[in-house]
Amino acid sequence: MIEFRFPSLGADMDSGRLVGWLIAPGDVVHRGDIVAEVETDKGLVEIETWADGRVTQLLVEPSDDQIPVGTPLAIFEALEDDTAEAAPPVPTPDGGTSPQPSLPPPSRMHVPPPPPPAPMTPPVRHLAHQLGVDPSSITPRSDGTITREDVARQAERLGSGSKVSPLARRTATDLGVDLAQVESSRPDGLITADDVRAAAGTTPTQPDPTTSTQAEADSDAGADNRMAAMRHAISRSMSRSKREIPHYYLSTRIDLDAALRWLDRENEQRPLAQRLLPAALLLRATALALREVPELNGHWIDDEFRPGEAVHLGVAISLREGGLVAPGILDAEKLGLDETMVALRDLVTRARTWRIRSSEMSAPTMTVTNLGDRGVETVFPVIIPPQVAMVGFGKIVEEPVAVEGMLGIRPVVQATLAGDHRVTDGHRGGTLLSSIDRLLQEPQKL
Amino acid sequence: MTTTTDVRTLTYREAVREAIRHAMQTDERVFLMGEDIGMYGGCYAVSKGLLDEFGPERIRDTPLSEAGFVGAGIGAALGGMRPIVELMTINFSLLALDQIVNTAALYLHMSGGQFNVPVVIRMPTGAGRQVAAQHSHSFESWYANVPGLKVASPATIEDARWMLWTALEDPDPVVIFEHVGLYAMSGELGNDAGPTPLDGAAVRRSGSDVTIVTYGGNVPKALSAADSLADDGISAEVLDLRMLRPLDTGSILYSVSRTHRLVVVDEAWKSVSVAAEVIASVAEHALWELDAPPARVCTVEAPIPYAQHMEEAALPQPAGIVRAVKSVLGR
């Protein structure tokens, strides 16, 4: 028997609210599956299980009550072996396996009945719902199951990343083919007109409109709940920050001429998908600078400063629907520029589809807010407890700057630091901004 | 179909020489001038023997002054002659750009429609002969950019033999680019061939899977690539642009609308090239016909190397064309 307990999502967290279960008794879960949504000071967080097992009992119902960390939430029973997964495959006479014990009786209609839904664990089904993937559009594995990876791959294929040639689009319109049902025959995944024509013979023309409407309604309701929970969490966290943390503020102007020139040259040589954004340079420089000023990187817990063991760099991400999350790029000081860019893209994408992991929410040891794309020049950050500092970057603007006795027009950015006066003073804080400035002058070394 | 008695075999170089000889014999206003075209017989031996045949009045060696003798050619054209001005190689034409662009191309406009400039300017273009970076350019797109010029790129024996006459009959300036890699190419010419038009692309090989658009010295390379592709079951159509201005967009769109895939082969540097113009036209007018992103096979964007193996690597080659086609086809 395994007890699934309310996890601590941060050193200072002592309780949280269970918003909802994503599992039910009888479900099989695996390490890393999302099993519940909880609301904490960090915001709405999906919590993972660290054990494999079959759910036998849910001990706590979702409610507005604060539940202490460590409270048992559910009981799992250990799995005998992997074959215990969801629906055990049944041997068929031809030696293969089928997810169903027997096929339904032959239909009187000429149209064959839709295939039975392949077994998915509830967390996987939940993921499919979140990503807007119709489970029946996924081809099950040879054992009849569908995994997280299958769902993610299908989502990627159907999402903005899926490539359809212009002629294929036109052909699909002409033939009334739903492109989501079309498989590419090419290694690069491009859907061509031939693929559409091949699909035209075998697939139904349009999905049932009633089901998608229902799914959209469900997802709207879910988004409303999440928004309310997130607003509540921001309110509590920021109130605590302004109540408890004696902020001091510093600001400096950083010349980005060298950095942006280098970035332009670098991007010229890169395919579109691998191009770097200025934000990646700013994050990378901040992560490196934090190594030099470790007293800004860590947590204030129980009236003392606990330095972070690594730089888990939080990134404030505003969501399209409104609201804000600040998950972390883990071990940011160990990531090169390219890896930082990849991590940033990944984090933003997942934040905007509500797929941030609990470990990423609790990890940040310092956070960067980059309001640049909102068009303001200076941001005065509010530190996210229990962190002790926050760095802000404004919009990159062109300004007249005196350089070596000459006046020039240079791209500059206002970098600000909010520091916790209980831990550091302005002098140390200034060191961080100076280091970021120095690092950005040699972008090729980032 | 012609029988063997109706065709003869000659080189591209001989075809151009015949074209000049024929024009000189037919029209007494025609004369040839350029550097080393008389006594020496031309840098690429095109005019060899013509001095003896026509004399120094009509086969005129000029000083090494491109702006000067191109200007003189324009003046002669304005004065009623039909000059053929030969530039030794395309790079030297840069010295005469002002005369070609500002005078020859614009004079009709600047004179309020009073004066046409019926000059023909011929020049060798392209790389592949190990003459190093300064003599290996493909600047056809520079001229193709200019309204007022017609820009021809004969790639076959027939066009080499017969485009010149059409150009001389045209009332406006025509620039003819002869690729250095084609001069030694030999092929058959029908005895019944006649003047070829200064507009319209030509399908040099029909196909159904992909359209390879090219011109000049890359036409034989594209045909060779199409042969290899046929061995792999891929049917490639090779479209020879022939004229870079006016560009026969209609033929490009027609071919792409049948094959739905496009590869453009251009010996120029890729950026801002004829290849770029071809793809832009297809994107503007036939986007919904494309079944895969188009591809370009162009010269590496660097000075053309002198060393033979490096020069070969820098230029479009049949193997690279085959790769590009297969990539567009997803194979």
Side-chain angles (χ1 to χ4, degrees), chain A residues 165-170 185-188 190-194 197, chain B residues 260-261 286-293 326-331:
Chain A
S165 84
L167 184 65
R169 276 190 199 283
R170 204 188 74 188
S185 57
R186 293 167 53 123
D188 60 5
L190 177 71
I191 292 173
T192 64
D194 280 345
R197 283 188 279 268
Chain B
H260 304 295
R261 297 172 193 91
L287 181 71
W288 303 104
E289 296 293 347
L290 285 176
D291 206 11
K326 287 187 173 174
S327 164
V328 164
L329 285 162
R331 299 206 192 166

Side-chain angles (χ1 to χ4, degrees), chain A residues 65-362:
Chain A
D65 298 340
Q66 288 291 319
I67 300 164
V69 164
T71 305
L73 297 177
I75 305 291
F76 301 162
E77 101 192 339
L79 296 176
E80 301 287 313
D81 54 58
D82 281 345
T83 57
E85 178 140 11
V90 181
T92 55
D94 61 4
T97 57
S98 160
Q100 288 281 110
S102 64
L103 288 170
S107 164
R108 287 173 193 281
M109 295 185 298
H110 294 296
V111 187
M120 303 165 81
T121 60
V124 174
R125 188 172 298 283
H126 178 70
L127 179 66
H129 179 69
Q130 275 191 320
L131 298 181
V133 173
D134 175 6
S136 68
S137 72
I138 304 174
T139 310
R141 300 189 163 210
S142 55
D143 64 359
T145 61
I146 292 172
T147 66
R148 295 182 70 83
E149 287 84 344
D150 299 330
V151 172
R153 200 177 307 118
Q154 182 74 348
E156 193 174 326
R157 201 166 76 71
L158 301 178
S160 56
S162 79
K163 296 179 290 181
V164 183
S165 84
L167 184 65
R169 276 190 199 283
R170 204 188 74 188
T171 308
T173 308
D174 293 347
L175 300 177
V177 171
D178 175 12
L179 282 169
Q181 309 297 322
V182 180
E183 293 271 353
S184 171
S185 57
R186 293 167 53 123
D188 60 5
L190 177 71
I191 292 173
T192 64
D194 280 345
D195 298 331
V196 174
R197 283 188 279 268
T202 56
T203 55
T205 53
Q206 291 293 332
D208 180 358
T210 53
T211 53
S212 60
T213 310
Q214 187 56 46
E216 280 161 23
D218 287 353
S219 111
D220 284 351
D224 283 349
N225 287 340
R226 287 194 297 256
M227 281 298 297
M230 183 176 65
R231 204 67 246 169
H232 191 205
I234 292 172
S235 150
R236 275 191 301 165
S237 170
M238 293 295 99
S239 300
R240 179 182 156 199
S241 173
K242 280 292 185 179
R243 190 167 60 240
E244 295 179 4
I245 302 178
H247 287 67
Y248 67 86
Y249 288 101
L250 304 172
S251 178
T252 192
R253 187 172 67 173
I254 296 178
D255 184 344
L256 289 181
D257 189 58
L260 295 184
R261 274 172 197 268
W262 177 85
L263 195 68
D264 283 347
R265 277 198 307 276
E266 188 67 21
N267 280 341
E268 273 174 14
Q269 300 160 15
R270 290 167 177 253
L272 207 56
Q274 288 169 27
R275 291 198 180 157
L276 299 169
L277 293 172
L281 291 177
L282 300 176
L283 288 174
R284 176 75 184 135
T286 306
L288 290 175
L290 274 172
R291 279 208 301 221
E292 299 173 22
V293 194
E295 50 279 51
L296 291 173
N297 184 59
H299 293 157
W300 177 268
I301 291 166
D302 296 339
D303 286 334
E304 65 173 17
F305 174 64
R306 298 183 185 174
E309 286 172 355
V311 177
H312 302 313
L313 195 62
V315 182
I317 300 168
S318 54
L319 305 181
R320 294 200 178 91
E321 311 90 309
L324 182 73
V325 288
I329 296 177
L330 305 186
D331 297 312
E333 86 278 24
K334 293 178 191 146
L335 301 182
L337 204 47
D338 285 320
E339 294 161 309
T340 304
M341 188 68 228
V342 169
L344 177 64
R345 271 191 220 281
D346 174 54
L347 213 54
V348 171
T349 307
R350 286 191 293 116
R352 293 188 168 155
T353 49
W354 303 87
R355 282 186 290 136
I356 297 293
R357 305 225 129 180
S358 47
S359 50
E360 291 165 333
M361 288 304 292
S362 58

Side-chain angles (χ1 to χ4, degrees), chain B residues 200-213:
Chain B
V203 173
R204 301 300 183 196
R205 180 194 176 108
S206 299
S208 55
D209 292 332
V210 62
T211 299
I212 303 176
V213 173

